[in-house]
Amino acid sequence: MRTAPTILHLDMDAFYAAAEQAAKPSLRGKPVVVGGLGPRGVVATASYEARRFGVHSAMPMAQARRLAPNAAYLVPRFSLYRAVSEQVMELLAALSPLVEPLSLDEAFVDLEAGGSADDSASARAAGERLRADIRRVTGLTGSVGLAGSKMLAKIASEQAKPDGLVLIEPGTERELLGPLSVRTLPGVGPATGEHLRRAGMTTVADLAEAGEDELVRLLGKAHGTALHHMALGHDERPVVAERDAKSVSVEDTFDVDLHDRVRVRGEVERLAERCVQRLRAAGRSGRTVVLKVRRFDFSTLTRSETLRGPTDDPAVVREAAARLLESVDTTGGVRLLGVGVSGLADYTQEDLFAQAAAGAHGGEDDGVEACAEPREGGAGPTTEAEAEPGPGPLAGRRWLAGHDVRHARYGAGWVQGSGLGRVTVRFEEPWSPPGRVRTFAVDDPELMPAEPLPLLRPPPEPGAPPRGGLPPGASAASRGIPA
């Protein structure tokens, strides 16, 4: 444990939903829910306005709609979230070389390693400066926790939500932790929490009083010992700088189980193409192709094939995934498919066509391996609730609620909904007042998918004419621009 609160934990507030509200003036101050919109979709993030109705992350979307029928329901726009996340991570990197991202919207920072803080006063100043910089650069808010350990810094940021800062002074850990639920501690999920409850332990103070021997008897040596140390406020885990990703993957859950084998293969090939796009965007290649299949009965299988060398060739990945599919029985129906590439490298095998040809002819060392769910701690797939729209035939385009479009006459907007051959679009920009709604045919040639606009108005180009002021009655706050 450190003697100064120089470990910082940042957690952006309702990140996906807040980014959508910042991008869509008509949704500010209103309940917004982001996630998969199909019958099996789940909530990824709910705005604080939606949380007042009881909506929360990981809730089935159907239940969320019952609780908040008038909320705006949007599919994720990961390209926007990644862009904002990169801006935030750059601000963290300016504080210290030791930044440990946990997700797009959450990270630990070692302030001491960067010389940003060495006592409580300097740590608080660094945290407040970070919060102000995040608001200035992105227009969003984040909550900051400061403490002498990672565990306590994360607890502090949770207490700071939304848009606050909490500092835990070293030496006060036991007093703070004692009344908290055992579920507050890392590694205590619903099953462990229920096991402890049956043993009469519901608070962290109960764990500390029970002693290490009793917790080891209940939970085993490793878990029991670690939990007792955490209950005493001890956490020596260092902040670890960002490590390279171990895999790149995509997956889709289907609203209705797929039974048609041709359709299943087509979906696998489409996922392989998306996976390679993400692989190339990261400037990587990989040598192991992984197929994930969740069947109608929720049983999940993975199959993997290790190639002769790393590749980022879509044909190679697509054909390997198709070969892996041949070893999976999909007779009863498929509810989820995923394709991933692991064994990443920074270069690509030169003889890609020879590799593809060898795989197609069943080379002598295919290396096909069958296994169950990925092992604990393994690099699992990155789930995106809906595929982001891409180019394609006009009649085949998917107009997903919340995604960006541009019309030849009306400019930038976003999809409010679609169905029965029509698509409804609200035309507004992040820095405009709430815009008008118009409806078009889904194959209107003047309406096209578009990239997300930045959340804050970009600076004018040199020599450009001055922009007009705010529209009448619109304040800077109403446009999401920090004062």
Side-chain angles (χ1 to χ4, degrees):
M1 290 290 295
R2 300 189 179 190
T3 58
T6 54
I7 293 181
L8 179 149
H9 181 258
L10 169 72
D11 196 353
M12 298 294 288
D13 299 322
F15 182 49
Y16 295 174
E20 296 297 346
Q21 289 176 315
K24 301 173 171 62
S26 58
L27 297 184
R28 290 174 195 160
K30 298 179 181 178
V32 174
V33 181
V34 179
L37 302 188
R40 292 172 176 165
V42 297
V43 175
T45 308
S47 70
Y48 286 96
E49 295 86 355
R51 295 181 192 190
R52 297 192 188 106
F53 294 92
V55 180
H56 58 77
S57 60
M59 171 182 286
M61 192 61 76
Q63 182 180 356
R65 289 184 183 276
R66 290 194 294 270
L67 293 172
N70 295 321
Y73 289 87
L74 310 173
V75 297
R77 295 188 298 162
F78 287 97
S79 57
L80 171 65
Y81 311 149
R82 281 190 288 266
V84 177
S85 177
E86 288 172 3
Q87 293 177 305
V88 172
M89 295 302 166
E90 286 179 6
L91 295 174
L92 299 182
L95 290 174
S96 172
L98 288 184
V99 177
E100 183 178 342
L102 304 179
S103 62
L104 290 176
D105 62 335
E106 186 179 1
F108 286 110
V109 183
D110 187 333
L111 298 177
E112 188 177 278
S116 299
D118 56 11
D119 59 16
S120 295
S122 57
R124 182 180 294 277
E128 293 291 7
R129 187 168 62 251
L130 172 65
R131 292 178 57 234
D133 287 344
I134 289 173
R135 184 185 290 272
R136 172 180 56 81
V137 171
T138 70
L140 305 181
T141 65
S143 297
V144 168
L146 293 157
S149 71
K150 291 168 73 172
M151 176 185 72
L152 289 167
K154 185 171 175 63
I155 290 172
S157 70
E158 190 64 33
Q159 294 181 342
K161 283 189 167 292
D163 190 20
L165 182 150
V166 168
L167 184 149
I168 299 176
E169 289 283 359
T172 66
E173 297 88 358
R174 292 284 299 275
E175 180 182 356
L176 175 123
L177 287 172
L180 300 180
S181 166
V182 296
R183 291 288 305 278
T184 305
L185 299 181
V188 181
T192 301
E194 176 61 21
H195 191 50
L196 292 170
R197 187 194 65 78
R198 289 199 300 267
M201 304 177 201
T202 58
T203 67
V204 176
D206 294 335
L207 301 180
E209 293 168 5
E212 183 175 341
D213 291 343
E214 177 63 10
L215 292 178
V216 167
R217 186 186 69 80
L218 285 171
L219 304 174
K221 177 66 176 175
H223 198 182
T225 299
L227 200 57
H228 186 251
H229 287 175
M230 288 189 290
L232 298 176
H234 300 158
D235 178 17
E236 302 298 336
R237 293 175 300 160
V239 176
V240 180
E242 182 176 7
R243 290 184 286 260
D244 286 342
K246 296 181 179 179
S247 67
V248 172
S249 55
V250 295
E251 65 181 42
D252 270 346
T253 300
F254 304 103
D255 295 342
V256 178
D257 289 348
L258 304 184
H259 295 271
D260 184 346
R261 186 75 175 187
V262 174
R263 169 77 187 283
V264 171
R265 180 177 174 121
E267 292 293 341
V268 167
E269 292 179 349
R270 182 179 61 83
L271 289 167
E273 296 280 352
R274 283 174 53 199
C275 182
V276 169
Q277 289 175 8
R278 186 173 295 176
L279 191 68
R280 288 181 167 179
R284 309 299 296 276
S285 59
R287 62 177 295 135
T288 300
V289 179
V290 181
L291 175 71
K292 177 180 178 180
V293 180
R294 180 163 295 151
R295 298 185 289 192
F296 69 100
D297 58 357
F298 287 89
S299 62
T300 303
L301 300 175
T302 63
R303 299 286 187 269
S304 65
E305 177 178 333
T306 299
L307 306 171
R308 289 180 172 79
T311 183
D312 67 350
D313 187 285
V316 173
V317 176
R318 186 174 60 245
E319 291 168 13
R323 288 195 298 274
L324 293 170
L325 179 63
E326 295 304 314
S327 65
V328 179
D329 179 11
T330 61
T331 306
V334 171
R335 61 185 292 118
L336 177 148
L337 289 168
V339 174
V341 176
S342 61
L344 302 187
D346 292 326
Y347 63 94
T348 303
Q349 181 77 13
E350 291 182 5
D351 193 5
L352 295 176
F353 295 105
Q355 181 171 244
H361 291 94
E364 61 185 28
D365 186 20
D366 286 341
V368 177
E369 175 187 356
C371 60
E373 278 280 79
R375 294 181 180 87
E376 183 176 344
T382 300
T383 303
E384 298 189 1
E386 299 281 354
E388 298 197 28
L394 295 181
R397 289 182 303 192
R398 299 172 66 197
W399 300 108
L400 302 177
H403 277 175
D404 299 270
V405 297
R406 179 168 289 277
H407 193 274
R409 282 182 291 165
Y410 302 115
W414 57 277
V415 176
Q416 278 202 328
S418 63
L420 301 177
R422 313 292 287 177
V423 55
T424 301
V425 177
R426 184 180 289 273
F427 290 97
E428 59 186 6
E429 297 175 338
W431 43 82
S432 75
R436 295 187 60 184
V437 174
R438 297 181 184 275
T439 300
F440 308 91
V442 294
D443 58 354
D444 189 320
E446 294 189 305
L447 185 68
M448 298 296 293
E451 291 298 315
L453 295 170
L455 298 186
L456 299 181
R457 184 192 287 267
E461 295 292 333
R467 291 174 174 142
L470 290 169
S475 65
S478 74
R479 284 181 17 190
I481 300 177

